[in-house]
Amino acid sequence: MDKIISLCKRRGFIFPGSEIYGGLANSWDYGPLGTELKNNIKQLWWKKFVQSRDDIVGIDASLIMNPKVWEASGHLKEFSDPLIECKSCHARFKEDSLGGKECPICRKKEFTLAKQFNLMFKTFIGPAEEKDNIVYFRPETAQAMFVDFKNVLDTSRKTLPFGIAQIGKAFRNEITPGNFIFRTREFEQMEIEYFIRENDWKKYFEYWRKEMIGWIKDLGVDMKKIHEIEIPDKERAHYSRRTLDFNYEFPFGEKELYGLAYRTDFDLKNHFKEPPYKEEGVEPFYPHAIEPTWGVDRSVLVALLEAYHEEDKRVVLKLPMKLAPYKAAVFPLLANKPELVKLAKKIYDDLRKDFMVAWDDRGNIGKRYFSQDEIGTPYCITVDFDSLEKNDVTIRDRDTMKQERVKIVDLADILKQKLEN
Ligand code: GAP
């Protein structure tokens, strides 16, 4: 983890949040490369689960919703952790996190009885900080898919089974955040509520289990490090009748990466007085929901952990092509030869119309290769003196380090082909 955190900072993937003010504990900012990586993950997901399917549509809802949403969803009452407080230094801990031992801060052993602590962040709408103006930052994106169910249904004319998807921020006042971007108080989720008939829930639970495995493979994850964990009755969220967690072997232990839940008709029933789904020939009814959910930041972390390789002389991020922040880098062999720089710049500008491309003309070529390897750029293109004569360039592969010469006119097509493989 230390190596990943240091690479992320050094190369502009992820920085500590508010660093020049001494930071803000457990907040992280995505830098230029991290933003590309994260956006690539979100775009891949959106394309796979929304744009290439007929049965799923997307929404992008407000993250501050009417507080009645959280009353109806059960989050105001249920979304809490039991906390104990050290009687000596008043630090608070999750009840089950200390195992009855001493306070890790002051080493005393006396604690208060556990009190429920709601994980939702509160704020106020308007200037008056009064009870009536309290609103909450959403703790999951899911509720908007239920609250907007009827509007989506009426405008998209979907019939069961169909899903509503959303990518967006969620906020939780976590008691034990940590492990870099694994658990933070502000994070992003990619969620689908897949609406079905009650009788079909087992079939679609299994269907989404397989879809989630497919996605994990797309991220380049070694499936040996993934463990499917059935969550027992008492530990499931208040809305779920079955939950399967996809755990990953993180360097800090095996922990939840993604989750799959059968939310029944719990949410739609709580939000809609009348059954919101009608079909010819049957009484209106409440569809049930299967919910596959993915954390964006945990996806970024896992993609980085899986891609990180140390070899003899280099560190290389073997990211899947689709996730790599830059798809290629263009170098003039020598920065002080204007004819090389001019041709390289032209190639760079042409390729940028279709791909994210980096430019580098500093230091020697070997160092430039290693610098691109470290950020996962799949291909490096070098313009040398032969290029001026023969209209070709070398293209060097990140993983095999092999080089080949290709014609400049064919470069964009070749790159496209290679990136799709
Ligand atoms: N709508 C269901 C739901 O929110 P969850 O298991 O609480 O379920 C879904 O969260 C996913 O969001 C998790 O599998 C994880 O990937 C991510 N996640 C949850 N809490 C997080 C946190 N504090 N920091 C980063 N990611 C988090």
Side-chain angles (χ1 to χ4, degrees), residues 20 29 36 84 101 105 108 122 129 199 220 223 241 276 350 389 397 415:
I20 61 166
D29 293 345
E36 292 300 326
I84 51 175
K101 291 191 215 100
I105 295 166
K108 298 274 166 50
K122 264 186 216 163
E129 297 195 1
N199 283 343
M223 290 307 291
R241 193 174 299 165
D350 284 348
E389 304 283 312
D397 183 297
L415 207 53

Side-chain angles (χ1 to χ4, degrees), residues 51-97:
Q51 292 174 337
S52 8
R53 300 178 58 127
D54 287 330
D55 59 342
I56 300 188
V57 289
I59 59 168
D60 186 5
S62 296
L63 59 83
I64 294 178
M65 304 175 81
N66 188 313
K68 285 182 187 152
V69 170
W70 308 111
E71 212 176 296
S73 71
H75 281 82
L76 266 176
K77 202 163 136 242
E78 309 274 359
F79 196 61
S80 55
D81 269 339
L83 278 198
I84 51 175
E85 192 174 308
C86 169
K87 283 190 175 168
S88 169
C89 71
H90 302 289
R92 288 176 177 180
F93 307 94
K94 265 190 181 177
E95 189 182 21
D96 53 10
S97 68

Side-chain angles (χ1 to χ4, degrees), residues 399-412:
D399 298 340
T400 63
M401 295 196 277
K402 289 211 173 96
Q403 301 184 16
E404 57 179 316
R405 283 205 82 91
V406 304
K407 291 282 172 211
I408 295 169
V409 283
D410 300 331
L411 196 53

Side-chain angles (χ1 to χ4, degrees), residues 27-62:
S27 74
W28 300 95
D29 293 345
Y30 284 80
L33 296 186
T35 304
E36 292 300 326
L37 171 60
K38 182 154 101 150
N39 283 343
N40 288 344
I41 288 175
K42 292 194 280 185
Q43 274 161 19
L44 197 66
W45 187 90
W46 196 255
K47 191 158 189 209
K48 184 180 176 86
F49 292 118
V50 182
Q51 292 174 337
S52 8
R53 300 178 58 127
D54 287 330
D55 59 342
I56 300 188
V57 289
I59 59 168
D60 186 5
S62 296

Side-chain angles (χ1 to χ4, degrees), residues 48-284:
K48 184 180 176 86
F49 292 118
V50 182
Q51 292 174 337
S52 8
R53 300 178 58 127
D54 287 330
D55 59 342
I56 300 188
V57 289
I59 59 168
D60 186 5
S62 296
L63 59 83
I64 294 178
M65 304 175 81
N66 188 313
K68 285 182 187 152
V69 170
W70 308 111
E71 212 176 296
S73 71
H75 281 82
L76 266 176
K77 202 163 136 242
E78 309 274 359
F79 196 61
S80 55
D81 269 339
L83 278 198
I84 51 175
E85 192 174 308
C86 169
K87 283 190 175 168
S88 169
C89 71
H90 302 289
R92 288 176 177 180
F93 307 94
K94 265 190 181 177
E95 189 182 21
D96 53 10
S97 68
L98 300 182
K101 291 191 215 100
E102 60 188 26
C103 169
I105 295 166
C106 70
R107 305 283 164 212
K108 298 274 166 50
K109 290 183 184 171
E110 271 195 86
F111 297 95
T112 60
L113 290 174
K115 259 209 312 232
Q116 289 298 325
F117 171 80
N118 196 290
L119 297 184
M120 283 197 294
F121 271 105
K122 264 186 216 163
T123 189
F124 299 92
I125 288 272
E129 297 195 1
E130 288 163 2
K131 198 162 162 277
D132 286 349
N133 298 339
I134 290 178
V135 286
Y136 302 91
F137 287 106
R138 65 182 177 199
E140 59 169 9
T141 62
Q143 285 309 314
M145 277 83 102
F146 298 116
V147 171
D148 288 342
F149 177 84
K150 200 140 180 352
N151 278 334
V152 173
L153 189 68
D154 292 347
T155 50
S156 68
R157 298 158 154 264
K158 295 284 167 200
T159 52
L160 294 182
F162 77 94
I164 309 179
Q166 184 173 205
I167 300 179
K169 288 257 179 175
F171 298 80
R172 294 181 191 176
N173 205 353
E174 297 279 6
I175 297 147
T176 49
N179 290 319
F180 193 34
I181 52 171
F182 174 77
R183 192 186 307 285
T184 49
R185 294 192 169 106
E186 174 182 342
F187 56 97
E188 253 179 301
Q189 294 183 316
M190 308 185 281
E191 297 199 292
I192 298 170
E193 297 307 325
Y194 198 72
F195 297 101
I196 53 163
R197 286 163 225 279
E198 181 175 7
N199 283 343
D200 290 335
W201 83 264
K202 287 187 177 150
K203 176 171 108 188
Y204 285 111
F205 197 93
E206 181 54 23
Y207 170 81
W208 278 105
R209 188 180 80 79
K210 291 197 179 126
E211 287 292 303
M212 294 187 83
I213 291 171
W215 167 263
I216 293 170
K217 288 181 181 160
D218 290 349
L219 270 193
V221 176
D222 173 2
M223 290 307 291
K224 288 202 277 307
K225 291 196 203 141
I226 294 287
H227 304 277
E228 289 177 39
I229 308 293
E230 195 69 49
I231 305 300
D233 288 0
K234 281 192 187 145
E235 290 169 32
R236 280 198 300 269
H238 60 279
Y239 48 72
S240 176
R241 193 174 299 165
R242 183 179 172 198
T243 300
L244 194 65
D245 278 356
F246 290 85
N247 282 10
Y248 173 79
E249 291 173 20
F250 288 95
F252 43 86
E254 189 193 308
K255 307 254 183 231
E256 177 184 342
L257 171 61
Y258 303 136
L260 175 62
Y262 169 40
R263 290 182 83 129
T264 68
D265 54 359
F266 176 87
D267 301 271
L268 286 184
K269 265 199 170 143
N270 286 330
H271 290 306
F272 291 91
K273 282 199 190 80
E274 304 288 327
Y277 187 78
K278 293 192 192 87
E279 247 173 27
E280 258 189 46
V282 284
E283 288 289 301

